[in-house]
Amino acid sequence: MLLLGLAYTLLLQALVPPGTFVNGDAGLKYLLTRQLAAGELHADLRLPGPEWAHRLWDDEQLYPIAYPSVVVREGRRYALFGVALPALSAPLFKLFGFRGLLLLPLLGCWAIWAFTLRACRDLRLGGMAGALTLGALAMASPVTLYSATF
């Protein structure tokens, strides 16, 4: 079951076209990761764009991403999620490109599976119960899908 799960996650990784990500955060994790990987070490989001666009964003309040995804504090725009995942993903993104974004979630998914297997062994569940538990976690929970979509 573990090998099937590993193959499934790697297949999901392979099926994600470069530049595609879950839209639930409006692509903010990707944008912030890209910003950090480029050496712009700021916690606020600094979208590139022509000066006229920045004027529209600031003066006319037409920023392309709004609350509840982004809040404005002292003229700076901050995403409403922790900066830890983008900061940890930035070096991987710089080294491996878009696929580097997927490494931490994938490794996290595999770590959850390993801890689950360990818990099954510690609880002295039989092989079938452990396999079914891992199978349910791998194939029927959003953890596996999220690991392939950042």
Side-chain angles (χ1 to χ4, degrees):
M1 187 55 72
L2 181 60
L3 291 177
L4 182 63
L6 294 174
Y8 178 56
T9 56
L10 293 174
L11 174 67
L12 287 174
Q13 295 276 328
L15 292 175
V16 175
T20 304
F21 44 83
V22 170
N23 196 22
D25 67 1
L28 290 173
K29 288 184 187 114
Y30 172 69
L31 293 172
L32 188 54
T33 301
R34 191 176 67 186
Q35 174 181 303
L36 294 170
E40 298 177 36
L41 305 177
H42 308 283
D44 60 314
L45 190 60
R46 299 181 182 189
L47 292 181
E51 184 59 36
W52 63 266
H54 285 274
R55 280 195 306 275
L56 286 175
W57 296 346
D58 296 335
D59 299 341
E60 304 296 324
Q61 298 179 358
L62 294 174
Y63 193 68
I65 309 164
Y67 184 83
S69 298
V70 171
V71 295
V72 179
R73 295 287 182 254
E74 298 177 10
R76 296 182 178 175
R77 293 172 178 89
Y78 296 92
L80 288 179
F81 56 77
V83 72
L85 182 60
L88 292 171
S89 297
L92 298 171
F93 177 72
K94 190 167 187 152
L95 287 172
F96 303 112
F98 178 75
R99 296 286 173 210
L101 293 174
L102 307 174
L103 286 176
L104 285 179
L106 178 65
L107 294 174
C109 177
W110 290 350
I112 290 170
W113 294 356
F115 288 125
T116 301
L117 281 176
R118 173 95 188 229
C120 288
R121 286 186 188 135
D122 289 349
L123 293 171
R124 301 191 197 296
L125 296 178
M128 182 58 83
L132 290 174
T133 301
L134 183 61
L137 179 63
M139 306 300 178
S141 77
V143 171
T144 302
L145 183 61
Y146 181 76
S147 77
T149 58
F150 193 61

